[in-house]
């Protein structure tokens, strides 16, 4: 399943207020995390009425919970909300019962788990980086690079 392509500008003041509301572990002093100006929905493709969701970075040890921002577009208006949620408990075991990949989304998220969501742009970027590393190792570095994607 492809990743949802919705993105939004981060309402920084709302995000900072939500981050300040996270409970710190006793004795922990936390610094405000660096925030991106835009967020991309991290869910797989979903129905139009479903909220988009992106996890915010947090330096707080908030009891295993993560801060997520949700947004919707309706009637020409974008609305936001923030929620502190437990991570999805799902784990996929591929080759070993001991080792597995955890879903990085929130508990009871809609659509597919994170391991079933593919981001073609990220895959393309990773392939370009691998190609550059291969060229450098073979000594045919040449001009160009990851920045020359277009």
């Amino acid at each position: 399943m492809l990743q949802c392509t919705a993105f939004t500008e981060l309402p920084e003041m709302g995000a900072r207020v939500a981050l300040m509301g996270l409970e710190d572990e006793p004795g922990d002093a936390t610094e405000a995390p660096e925030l991106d100006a835009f967020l991309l929905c991290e869910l797989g493709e979903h129905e139009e009425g479903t909220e988009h969701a992106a996890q915010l970075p947090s330096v707080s040890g908030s009891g295993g919970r993560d801060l997520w921002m949700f947004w919707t577009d309706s009637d020409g208006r974008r609305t936001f909300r923030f929620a502190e949620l437990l991570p999805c408990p799902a784990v996929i075991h591929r080759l070993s019962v001991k080792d597995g990949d955890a879903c990085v989304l929130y508990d009871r998220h809609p659509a597919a788990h994170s391991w079933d969501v593919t981001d073609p742009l990220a895959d393309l970027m990773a392939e370009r980086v691998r190609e550059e590393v291969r060229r450098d190792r073979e000594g045919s570095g040449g001009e160009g690079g990851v920045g020359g994607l277009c």
Side-chain angles (χ1 to χ4, degrees):
M1 166 179 282
L2 293 176
Q3 183 173 347
C4 175
T5 58
F7 66 94
T8 187
E9 189 170 0
L10 176 70
E12 187 173 356
M13 187 58 72
R16 297 255 179 236
V17 168
L19 286 165
M20 286 173 26
L22 295 178
E23 292 185 27
D24 292 335
E25 296 293 325
D28 281 352
T30 59
E31 293 182 20
E34 188 82 22
L35 297 174
D36 292 329
F38 291 90
L39 296 175
L40 176 65
C41 181
E42 296 180 36
L43 302 175
E45 293 175 311
H46 49 85
E47 295 180 15
E48 192 172 319
T50 303
E51 289 180 300
H52 301 291
Q55 185 177 5
L56 295 178
S58 174
V59 292
S60 171
S62 55
R65 295 174 181 263
D66 300 314
L67 184 62
W68 287 81
M69 185 182 88
F70 296 89
W71 73 95
T72 56
D73 293 312
S74 60
D75 300 330
R77 247 183 77 177
R78 181 165 287 168
T79 57
F80 301 92
R81 73 178 179 90
F82 296 91
E84 195 177 352
L85 301 171
L86 290 170
C88 179
V91 175
I92 188 170
H93 297 278
R94 298 187 193 276
L95 300 174
S96 162
V97 175
K98 292 180 183 177
D99 299 322
D101 293 327
C103 178
V104 297
L105 300 173
Y106 54 92
D107 194 17
R108 300 182 187 182
H109 58 83
H113 292 291
S114 61
W115 56 75
D116 288 326
V117 176
T118 59
D119 179 357
L121 181 57
D123 293 344
L124 176 64
M125 295 290 290
E127 181 58 35
R128 295 285 175 108
V129 168
R130 282 192 291 274
E131 182 66 24
E132 285 297 314
V133 169
R134 186 187 61 75
R135 277 192 217 131
D136 287 347
R137 287 183 179 163
E138 292 175 356
S140 61
E143 291 293 317
V146 176
L149 290 175
C150 297

